[in-house]
Short mmCIF file of all heavy atoms in Angstrom, two decimals:
data_model
loop_
_atom_site.label_atom_id
_atom_site.label_comp_id
_atom_site.label_asym_id
_atom_site.label_seq_id
_atom_site.Cartn_x
_atom_site.Cartn_y
_atom_site.Cartn_z
N ARG A 4 -28.77 -27.50 42.09
CA ARG A 4 -29.17 -26.81 40.85
C ARG A 4 -29.03 -25.29 41.00
O ARG A 4 -28.64 -24.61 40.10
CB ARG A 4 -30.57 -27.23 40.46
CG ARG A 4 -30.96 -26.65 39.09
CD ARG A 4 -32.25 -27.25 38.60
NE ARG A 4 -32.58 -26.67 37.36
CZ ARG A 4 -33.74 -26.40 36.92
NH1 ARG A 4 -34.81 -26.65 37.67
NH2 ARG A 4 -33.97 -25.89 35.72
N LEU A 5 -29.52 -24.74 42.10
CA LEU A 5 -29.50 -23.37 42.37
C LEU A 5 -28.03 -22.88 42.40
O LEU A 5 -27.68 -21.83 41.90
CB LEU A 5 -30.19 -23.02 43.73
CG LEU A 5 -30.23 -21.57 44.15
CD1 LEU A 5 -31.00 -20.76 43.05
CD2 LEU A 5 -30.90 -21.41 45.49
N THR A 6 -27.12 -23.66 42.99
CA THR A 6 -25.71 -23.33 43.02
C THR A 6 -25.16 -23.24 41.63
O THR A 6 -24.42 -22.32 41.35
CB THR A 6 -24.97 -24.40 43.86
OG1 THR A 6 -25.50 -24.44 45.20
CG2 THR A 6 -23.47 -24.01 43.95
N TYR A 7 -25.53 -24.20 40.75
CA TYR A 7 -25.02 -24.15 39.38
C TYR A 7 -25.52 -22.91 38.61
O TYR A 7 -24.78 -22.28 37.85
CB TYR A 7 -25.35 -25.43 38.63
CG TYR A 7 -24.55 -26.64 39.06
CD1 TYR A 7 -25.18 -27.84 39.42
CD2 TYR A 7 -23.17 -26.61 39.01
CE1 TYR A 7 -24.45 -28.90 39.79
CE2 TYR A 7 -22.41 -27.71 39.40
CZ TYR A 7 -23.07 -28.84 39.78
OH TYR A 7 -22.33 -29.92 40.20
N VAL A 8 -26.80 -22.61 38.83
CA VAL A 8 -27.39 -21.42 38.17
C VAL A 8 -26.69 -20.17 38.64
O VAL A 8 -26.33 -19.31 37.84
CB VAL A 8 -28.90 -21.40 38.42
CG1 VAL A 8 -29.45 -20.02 38.00
CG2 VAL A 8 -29.61 -22.53 37.71
N LEU A 9 -26.45 -20.07 39.95
CA LEU A 9 -25.73 -18.90 40.47
C LEU A 9 -24.35 -18.79 39.94
O LEU A 9 -23.89 -17.70 39.55
CB LEU A 9 -25.73 -18.99 42.02
CG LEU A 9 -25.09 -17.77 42.73
CD1 LEU A 9 -25.77 -16.48 42.34
CD2 LEU A 9 -25.13 -17.99 44.22
N LEU A 10 -23.62 -19.90 39.89
CA LEU A 10 -22.22 -19.87 39.34
C LEU A 10 -22.23 -19.49 37.90
O LEU A 10 -21.37 -18.77 37.42
CB LEU A 10 -21.58 -21.24 39.57
CG LEU A 10 -21.16 -21.52 41.00
CD1 LEU A 10 -20.60 -22.99 41.12
CD2 LEU A 10 -20.13 -20.53 41.51
N ALA A 11 -23.16 -20.00 37.13
CA ALA A 11 -23.27 -19.70 35.67
C ALA A 11 -23.59 -18.21 35.48
O ALA A 11 -23.01 -17.54 34.63
CB ALA A 11 -24.30 -20.58 35.00
N THR A 12 -24.45 -17.66 36.29
CA THR A 12 -24.76 -16.23 36.24
C THR A 12 -23.57 -15.39 36.59
O THR A 12 -23.27 -14.42 35.84
CB THR A 12 -25.96 -15.93 37.19
OG1 THR A 12 -27.06 -16.72 36.88
CG2 THR A 12 -26.33 -14.44 37.09
N LEU A 13 -22.78 -15.77 37.53
CA LEU A 13 -21.62 -15.04 37.91
C LEU A 13 -20.54 -15.13 36.81
O LEU A 13 -19.89 -14.13 36.54
CB LEU A 13 -21.02 -15.55 39.28
CG LEU A 13 -21.80 -15.20 40.51
CD1 LEU A 13 -21.23 -15.95 41.73
CD2 LEU A 13 -21.87 -13.72 40.74
N ALA A 14 -20.43 -16.26 36.19
CA ALA A 14 -19.42 -16.38 35.09
C ALA A 14 -19.85 -15.50 33.90
O ALA A 14 -18.99 -14.86 33.33
CB ALA A 14 -19.37 -17.85 34.63
N VAL A 15 -21.13 -15.50 33.58
CA VAL A 15 -21.58 -14.62 32.46
C VAL A 15 -21.33 -13.15 32.83
O VAL A 15 -20.86 -12.35 31.99
CB VAL A 15 -23.05 -14.87 32.14
CG1 VAL A 15 -23.60 -13.86 31.19
CG2 VAL A 15 -23.20 -16.28 31.55
N ALA A 16 -21.63 -12.79 34.05
CA ALA A 16 -21.40 -11.37 34.48
C ALA A 16 -19.89 -10.98 34.39
O ALA A 16 -19.55 -9.89 33.96
CB ALA A 16 -21.94 -11.20 35.87
N ALA A 17 -19.05 -11.94 34.77
CA ALA A 17 -17.62 -11.66 34.71
C ALA A 17 -17.14 -11.41 33.30
O ALA A 17 -16.37 -10.54 32.97
CB ALA A 17 -16.83 -12.81 35.34
N VAL A 18 -17.66 -12.22 32.36
CA VAL A 18 -17.32 -12.10 30.93
C VAL A 18 -17.82 -10.77 30.40
O VAL A 18 -17.07 -10.02 29.68
CB VAL A 18 -17.88 -13.27 30.15
CG1 VAL A 18 -17.75 -13.01 28.61
CG2 VAL A 18 -17.15 -14.56 30.50
N VAL A 19 -19.06 -10.41 30.75
CA VAL A 19 -19.61 -9.09 30.30
C VAL A 19 -18.78 -7.92 30.83
O VAL A 19 -18.50 -7.01 30.08
CB VAL A 19 -21.13 -9.01 30.68
CG1 VAL A 19 -21.61 -7.63 30.43
CG2 VAL A 19 -21.91 -10.03 29.86
N LEU A 20 -18.50 -7.98 32.09
CA LEU A 20 -17.75 -6.90 32.69
C LEU A 20 -16.30 -6.80 32.12
O LEU A 20 -15.82 -5.70 32.04
CB LEU A 20 -17.72 -7.03 34.22
CG LEU A 20 -19.10 -6.79 34.96
CD1 LEU A 20 -18.99 -7.08 36.44
CD2 LEU A 20 -19.58 -5.35 34.71
N ALA A 21 -15.75 -7.91 31.84
CA ALA A 21 -14.40 -7.90 31.27
C ALA A 21 -14.40 -7.17 29.91
O ALA A 21 -13.48 -6.51 29.51
CB ALA A 21 -13.85 -9.33 31.11
N GLY A 22 -15.48 -7.31 29.21
CA GLY A 22 -15.63 -6.65 27.90
C GLY A 22 -15.88 -5.14 28.07
O GLY A 22 -15.70 -4.39 27.07
N CYS A 23 -16.22 -4.66 29.26
CA CYS A 23 -16.46 -3.28 29.46
C CYS A 23 -15.18 -2.52 29.74
O CYS A 23 -15.17 -1.27 29.78
CB CYS A 23 -17.43 -3.09 30.65
SG CYS A 23 -19.08 -3.70 30.29
N ARG A 24 -14.08 -3.17 29.95
CA ARG A 24 -12.79 -2.51 30.23
C ARG A 24 -12.41 -1.66 29.09
O ARG A 24 -12.57 -2.04 27.91
CB ARG A 24 -11.74 -3.59 30.53
CG ARG A 24 -10.43 -2.95 30.85
CD ARG A 24 -9.41 -4.06 31.29
NE ARG A 24 -8.19 -3.43 31.53
CZ ARG A 24 -7.09 -3.66 30.84
NH1 ARG A 24 -7.13 -4.54 29.86
NH2 ARG A 24 -5.97 -3.05 31.06
N SER A 25 -11.92 -0.50 29.34
CA SER A 25 -11.54 0.38 28.23
C SER A 25 -10.39 -0.19 27.44
O SER A 25 -9.62 -1.02 27.91
CB SER A 25 -11.19 1.78 28.79
OG SER A 25 -10.07 1.69 29.62
N SER A 26 -10.27 0.20 26.21
CA SER A 26 -9.35 -0.32 25.27
C SER A 26 -7.90 -0.13 25.72
O SER A 26 -7.58 0.77 26.47
CB SER A 26 -9.54 0.38 23.91
OG SER A 26 -8.55 0.03 23.03
N ASP A 27 -7.04 -1.02 25.24
CA ASP A 27 -5.62 -0.91 25.55
C ASP A 27 -4.94 0.12 24.64
O ASP A 27 -3.78 0.39 24.82
CB ASP A 27 -4.96 -2.31 25.36
CG ASP A 27 -5.42 -3.29 26.44
OD1 ASP A 27 -5.86 -2.80 27.54
OD2 ASP A 27 -5.31 -4.48 26.23
N VAL A 28 -5.67 0.59 23.64
CA VAL A 28 -5.14 1.60 22.68
C VAL A 28 -5.97 2.82 22.72
O VAL A 28 -7.16 2.73 22.53
CB VAL A 28 -5.02 0.98 21.26
CG1 VAL A 28 -4.45 2.04 20.33
CG2 VAL A 28 -4.17 -0.26 21.28
N VAL A 29 -5.34 3.98 22.89
CA VAL A 29 -6.00 5.26 22.76
C VAL A 29 -5.67 5.79 21.43
O VAL A 29 -4.51 5.96 21.11
CB VAL A 29 -5.56 6.20 23.88
CG1 VAL A 29 -6.21 7.59 23.71
CG2 VAL A 29 -5.88 5.62 25.27
N LYS A 30 -6.67 6.07 20.58
CA LYS A 30 -6.42 6.53 19.18
C LYS A 30 -6.81 8.03 19.11
O LYS A 30 -7.89 8.38 19.46
CB LYS A 30 -7.21 5.72 18.24
CG LYS A 30 -6.77 4.22 18.24
CD LYS A 30 -7.60 3.39 17.23
CE LYS A 30 -7.15 1.97 17.29
NZ LYS A 30 -7.76 1.13 16.29
N ILE A 31 -5.86 8.76 18.51
CA ILE A 31 -6.15 10.22 18.26
C ILE A 31 -5.71 10.55 16.85
O ILE A 31 -4.94 9.85 16.22
CB ILE A 31 -5.47 11.11 19.33
CG1 ILE A 31 -3.98 11.00 19.23
CG2 ILE A 31 -6.08 10.84 20.71
CD1 ILE A 31 -3.24 12.03 20.15
N GLY A 32 -6.21 11.71 16.36
CA GLY A 32 -5.83 12.16 15.04
C GLY A 32 -5.97 13.68 14.94
O GLY A 32 -6.01 14.39 15.96
N VAL A 33 -6.02 14.16 13.76
CA VAL A 33 -6.02 15.62 13.40
C VAL A 33 -7.03 16.41 14.26
O VAL A 33 -6.75 17.48 14.79
CB VAL A 33 -6.27 15.85 11.93
CG1 VAL A 33 -6.48 17.29 11.63
CG2 VAL A 33 -5.19 15.23 11.13
N ASP A 34 -8.21 15.85 14.45
CA ASP A 34 -9.34 16.50 15.19
C ASP A 34 -9.02 16.71 16.65
O ASP A 34 -9.68 17.47 17.32
CB ASP A 34 -10.65 15.81 15.00
CG ASP A 34 -11.14 15.87 13.57
OD1 ASP A 34 -10.68 16.72 12.80
OD2 ASP A 34 -11.96 14.96 13.21
N ASP A 35 -7.99 15.97 17.20
CA ASP A 35 -7.66 16.04 18.60
C ASP A 35 -6.58 17.08 18.88
O ASP A 35 -6.17 17.24 20.02
CB ASP A 35 -7.20 14.65 19.09
CG ASP A 35 -8.31 13.68 18.96
OD1 ASP A 35 -9.37 13.83 19.60
OD2 ASP A 35 -8.21 12.69 18.20
N GLU A 36 -6.10 17.81 17.82
CA GLU A 36 -5.06 18.88 18.06
C GLU A 36 -5.50 19.79 19.19
O GLU A 36 -6.63 20.30 19.21
CB GLU A 36 -4.98 19.66 16.70
CG GLU A 36 -4.24 21.00 16.83
CD GLU A 36 -2.71 20.84 17.07
OE1 GLU A 36 -2.13 19.84 16.67
OE2 GLU A 36 -2.22 21.75 17.70
N GLY A 37 -4.55 20.03 20.08
CA GLY A 37 -4.78 20.93 21.20
C GLY A 37 -5.55 20.36 22.38
O GLY A 37 -5.73 21.07 23.39
N SER A 38 -6.03 19.16 22.28
CA SER A 38 -6.79 18.59 23.37
C SER A 38 -5.84 17.93 24.44
O SER A 38 -4.65 17.95 24.26
CB SER A 38 -7.76 17.51 22.80
OG SER A 38 -7.00 16.38 22.30
N ILE A 39 -6.47 17.42 25.43
CA ILE A 39 -5.77 16.70 26.48
C ILE A 39 -6.18 15.27 26.42
O ILE A 39 -7.35 14.88 26.49
CB ILE A 39 -6.05 17.29 27.86
CG1 ILE A 39 -5.52 18.77 27.96
CG2 ILE A 39 -5.40 16.45 28.95
CD1 ILE A 39 -5.80 19.43 29.22
N VAL A 40 -5.17 14.37 26.29
CA VAL A 40 -5.39 12.93 26.17
C VAL A 40 -5.18 12.33 27.54
O VAL A 40 -4.05 12.52 28.11
CB VAL A 40 -4.46 12.33 25.15
CG1 VAL A 40 -4.63 10.80 25.08
CG2 VAL A 40 -4.67 12.90 23.76
N LYS A 41 -6.14 11.61 28.07
CA LYS A 41 -5.96 10.92 29.35
C LYS A 41 -5.85 9.42 29.06
O LYS A 41 -6.66 8.82 28.32
CB LYS A 41 -7.16 11.21 30.23
CG LYS A 41 -7.21 12.67 30.61
CD LYS A 41 -8.38 12.94 31.56
CE LYS A 41 -8.44 14.43 31.85
NZ LYS A 41 -9.59 14.74 32.70
N MET A 42 -4.78 8.81 29.60
CA MET A 42 -4.55 7.44 29.40
C MET A 42 -3.98 6.74 30.67
O MET A 42 -3.43 7.46 31.51
CB MET A 42 -3.69 7.18 28.18
CG MET A 42 -2.32 7.83 28.28
SD MET A 42 -1.38 7.72 26.75
CE MET A 42 -1.08 5.96 26.58
N ARG A 43 -4.06 5.41 30.71
CA ARG A 43 -3.42 4.67 31.80
C ARG A 43 -2.05 4.25 31.37
O ARG A 43 -1.70 4.19 30.21
CB ARG A 43 -4.28 3.44 32.13
CG ARG A 43 -5.66 3.74 32.66
CD ARG A 43 -6.36 2.46 33.15
NE ARG A 43 -6.11 1.39 32.26
CZ ARG A 43 -6.89 1.02 31.17
NH1 ARG A 43 -7.96 1.76 30.94
NH2 ARG A 43 -6.61 0.01 30.43
N GLN A 44 -1.25 3.88 32.37
CA GLN A 44 0.13 3.44 32.12
C GLN A 44 0.19 2.13 31.29
O GLN A 44 1.18 1.90 30.62
CB GLN A 44 0.80 3.26 33.45
CG GLN A 44 2.27 3.33 33.35
CD GLN A 44 2.97 3.44 34.70
OE1 GLN A 44 2.30 3.31 35.76
NE2 GLN A 44 4.22 3.62 34.70
#
Side-chain angles (χ1 to χ4, degrees):
R4 184 172 182 215
L5 182 60
T6 302
Y7 286 127
V8 170
L9 181 58
L10 288 175
T12 303
L13 289 173
V15 169
V18 169
V19 169
L20 289 175
C23 293
R24 183 172 176 244
S25 62
S26 173
D27 291 336
V28 178
V29 176
K30 298 179 180 187
I31 62 172
V33 174
D34 294 339
D35 298 297
E36 164 72 28
S38 68
I39 296 177
V40 178
K41 295 180 182 178
M42 59 187 295
R43 296 186 320 268
Q44 202 168 7

